[in-house]
Amino acid sequence: MKKLYFLFALVLFSYNLCFAQQAKYVFYFIGDGMGVNQVQGTELFQGELNGKIAIEPLCFTQFPVSTVATTFSATNGVTDSAAAGTALATGNKTKNGAIGVLKDLETPVNSVAVWAKNSGRRVGIATSVSVDHATPAAFYAHEASRSSYYNIGTDLYTAGFDFYAGSDFMEPKNKKDSNAKNLYKMADEYGYSIARGYKDYTSKSAKADKMILFQTEEASSKDRSAIPYAIDRTEKDMTLEEITRSAIDFLSKDLSKGFFLMVEGGKIDWACHSNDGATAFREVQDFDKAIKQAYEFYKQHPDETLIVVTADHETGGIVLGTGQYKLNLKAIENQKTSESGFTKILNSMRKEYKNNVPWKAVQDALEENFGFWDEIELSEEQEARLRSVYEKTLKGQKAKMEKSEYAQDEALAAEAKRIINEIALIGWVSGDHSAGYVPVFAIGAGSENFSGRLDNTQIPKLIAKSAGYMIEE
Ligand SMILES: [Zn+2]
């Protein structure tokens, strides 16, 4: 009997050794464009707001495991989001622009989301930009080009995951083939309910077998490519936090299966393409709020939950400190709108004044939205720059936009943003991506696997290892 008891204890012990720490619930958060300085800049900004020269930490930076990862693609020292997404999703480097295929642009490769599904887990893919954008697409689509939005949309259905969320589809109708099915209409055929906004989600979720959550049609009619920036948000707008809460709620319908959820903070990248520091830091704070939803879940299931937070690449070459051995990040607290948001304000002023906007009205708008002349003193040179752009663009001239990757902005909005970044002593090197390390943070079951300097291709494999998914090469 004693012997039997010992044997039983031994079996139990080895069972625990093998399976106890397996991650039944996996959260994979990807901050697009969120390099190490985007994270640390946000924390130093928060510190300054509390009157100290020190960081005020975000939630995810306090996770017990942290390291950095390299991001170069198969073809470029500096990756784009498609190749980086493919690396983070499938564990394979590919050509910039390619989604879920190798660099021959033909061989499809499956993502950790597919491995999770094949292991019986429920799966969700969510983002603050369109659901067919590069990062989310890398988890379910196989396309040679990231801009094949319609095809990516059809791949979403064939992948058949339980939950998808984003602002909308970019190309619900096939532009090249008018006979092709409309992506909204395909929802029925594949057993999906489409909810529009958080409220609509809560009323539809109980009866839905599979779910696609988009923002309201009204919001999409203004901008279907993304939900609004956190800094520009109004009460009506859907948030990444609500998206994440809905995803957790939906995937929790049958907890016995476990789940895998990827959430992208997609607009950190967009703000950094625009070199808009305030907007970028507010997006990182907003991403942290979404992560807090997962952290709450983790606290309920600490032994079976893994949260991994990383980024696909750095954007903008942001530098904290442009000389003088100091920072003045608190200045950007006075910025109340993104560069694009201020463009909209200037646009409505153009209409009001028929393209002949008085300088006083422009000054008032700059004071209200950037704190200039009020909270923030401008040098003569800075004021002269604003005045000169004003004379050239808003005094009887039609709008002439400054173009960046995801935005076209009024020259005056761009100049005001440049000046407030200068005052904050934030520098930017480019309007594109850079090859700097990205941070990796992890907590929970299997998080100890994420140690040592990583390459982005290792991350999905380590998730699979932590969660016990079969990796399909
Ligand atoms: Zn980008």
Side-chain angles (χ1 to χ4, degrees):
M1 186 66 201
K2 224 174 182 179
K3 211 170 164 189
L4 203 69
Y5 179 77
F6 175 76
L7 207 69
F8 179 70
L10 193 74
V11 167
L12 202 72
F13 176 74
S14 20
Y15 177 85
N16 275 333
L17 211 63
C18 297
F19 299 105
Q21 287 301 102
Q22 203 160 74
K24 188 174 176 187
Y25 314 108
V26 174
F27 293 92
Y28 194 3
F29 283 93
I30 301 174
D32 201 308
M34 192 182 72
V36 288
N37 282 348
Q38 276 78 1
V39 176
Q40 213 218 158
T42 305
E43 296 189 306
L44 286 166
F45 167 55
Q46 293 185 156
E48 281 197 34
L49 291 184
N50 288 344
K52 58 184 186 185
I53 298 179
I55 59 161
E56 183 65 47
L58 295 156
C59 170
F60 70 84
T61 56
Q62 298 175 74
F63 290 175
V65 175
S66 67
T67 181
V68 289
T70 48
T71 67
F72 54 88
S73 76
T75 53
N76 295 60
V78 177
T79 189
D80 81 322
S81 287
T86 301
L88 289 172
T90 74
N92 293 281
K93 300 254 185 217
T94 188
K95 188 175 189 283
N96 279 15
I99 300 281
V101 289
L102 295 181
K103 69 175 178 183
D104 62 6
L105 303 183
E106 283 174 0
T107 312
V109 275
N110 277 334
S111 77
V112 58
V114 174
W115 307 338
K117 184 174 189 276
N118 292 347
S119 303
R121 308 294 207 276
R122 288 166 69 79
V123 174
I125 301 294
T127 177
S128 54
V129 298
S130 64
V131 72
D132 43 21
H133 208 258
T135 309
F139 285 82
Y140 61 78
H142 307 283
E143 300 293 337
S145 166
R146 59 183 287 175
S147 52
S148 305
Y149 288 117
Y150 176 83
N151 293 350
I152 290 172
T154 61
D155 287 351
L156 174 150
Y157 288 117
T158 38
F161 298 156
D162 301 273
F163 180 92
Y164 295 98
S167 57
D168 214 312
F169 287 123
M170 279 306 279
E171 222 183 284
K173 286 183 208 149
N174 189 342
K175 284 181 189 160
K176 288 177 197 143
D177 177 6
S178 56
N179 292 324
K181 278 183 198 159
N182 178 307
L183 290 180
Y184 298 126
K185 293 203 174 127
M186 285 173 73
D188 252 357
E189 193 182 318
Y190 283 86
Y192 284 86
S193 303
I194 296 182
R196 288 280 183 181
Y198 183 62
K199 257 195 199 154
D200 198 31
Y201 166 78
T202 53
S203 68
K204 284 182 179 160
S205 72
K207 281 191 192 148
D209 187 26
K210 292 177 173 186
M211 171 69 79
I212 301 173
L213 170 60
F214 287 148
Q215 63 186 357
T216 61
E217 275 168 32
E218 193 198 342
S220 275
S221 72
K222 288 182 202 147
D223 181 4
R224 66 187 310 111
S225 68
I227 61 172
Y229 281 126
I231 200 171
D232 294 331
R233 182 183 297 148
T234 66
E235 268 181 17
K236 280 200 254 168
D237 298 320
M238 185 165 72
T239 69
L240 190 61
E241 188 183 9
E242 286 172 344
I243 288 174
T244 309
R245 197 183 308 145
S246 309
I248 296 171
D249 176 70
F250 199 80
L251 297 177
S252 297
K253 277 185 173 193
D254 182 359
L255 275 184
S256 71
K257 288 185 175 158
F259 62 71
F260 170 89
L261 171 63
M262 191 289 293
V263 179
E264 182 201 24
K267 289 187 93 176
I268 301 164
D269 175 65
W270 296 23
C272 294
H273 275 290
S274 294
N275 294 173
D276 186 343
T279 302
F281 292 169
R282 297 293 184 193
E283 282 302 296
V284 174
Q285 287 178 320
D286 201 57
F287 187 47
D288 193 48
K289 273 194 198 166
I291 296 168
K292 275 182 189 155
Q293 294 289 321
Y295 185 65
E296 288 306 315
F297 182 94
Y298 160 82
K299 284 198 284 186
Q300 306 296 315
H301 311 269
D303 299 332
E304 296 175 299
T305 304
L306 169 66
I307 308 177
V308 177
V309 182
T310 189
D312 54 352
H313 52 73
E314 196 278 342
T315 303
I318 189 174
V319 170
L320 307 169
T322 53
Q324 311 172 46
Y325 293 91
K326 62 179 184 182
L327 290 169
N328 183 29
L329 300 176
K330 63 182 179 303
I332 61 170
E333 191 194 10
N334 298 294
Q335 188 177 328
K336 304 293 181 211
T337 171
S338 67
E339 181 185 5
S340 322
F342 196 61
T343 292
K344 283 187 195 129
I345 291 169
L346 290 174
N347 243 294
S348 58
M349 288 167 77
R350 274 186 188 281
K351 279 185 199 137
E352 188 184 344
Y353 293 103
K354 301 199 170 59
N355 275 329
N356 217 333
V357 190
W359 174 238
K360 179 75 181 74
V362 170
Q363 273 187 308
D364 287 348
L366 285 168
E367 185 183 317
E368 202 182 318
N369 293 289
F370 289 87
F372 291 167
W373 298 287
D374 177 26
E375 294 292 323
I376 295 179
E377 222 177 290
L378 295 181
S379 68
E380 269 177 38
E381 183 261 349
Q382 286 161 337
E383 183 166 335
R385 276 161 59 193
L386 289 170
R387 184 80 201 211
S388 149
V389 174
Y390 159 76
E391 302 274 348
K392 281 184 208 148
T393 60
L394 283 153
K395 245 184 118 183
Q397 303 89 342
K398 283 195 181 142
K400 217 173 107 200
M401 301 297 203
E402 273 194 29
K403 221 175 145 0
S404 64
E405 183 74 27
Y406 290 103
Q408 292 207 33
D409 291 304
E410 284 272 359
L412 191 78
E415 196 64 26
K417 167 212 69 187
R418 275 192 283 272
I419 288 173
I420 202 164
N421 277 268
E422 268 169 40
I423 290 169
L425 303 168
I426 298 171
W428 297 90
V429 171
S430 84
D432 292 319
H433 302 171
S434 80
Y437 281 139
V438 293
V440 181
F441 296 96
I443 190 171
S447 59
E448 68 282 355
N449 290 323
F450 296 78
S451 70
R453 195 262 315 282
L454 299 174
D455 181 65
N456 56 5
T457 52
Q458 290 174 270
I459 297 174
K461 293 172 187 164
L462 292 173
I463 289 176
K465 183 181 171 193
S466 308
Y469 307 153
M470 279 276 284
I471 298 177
E472 301 156 42
E473 295 290 348

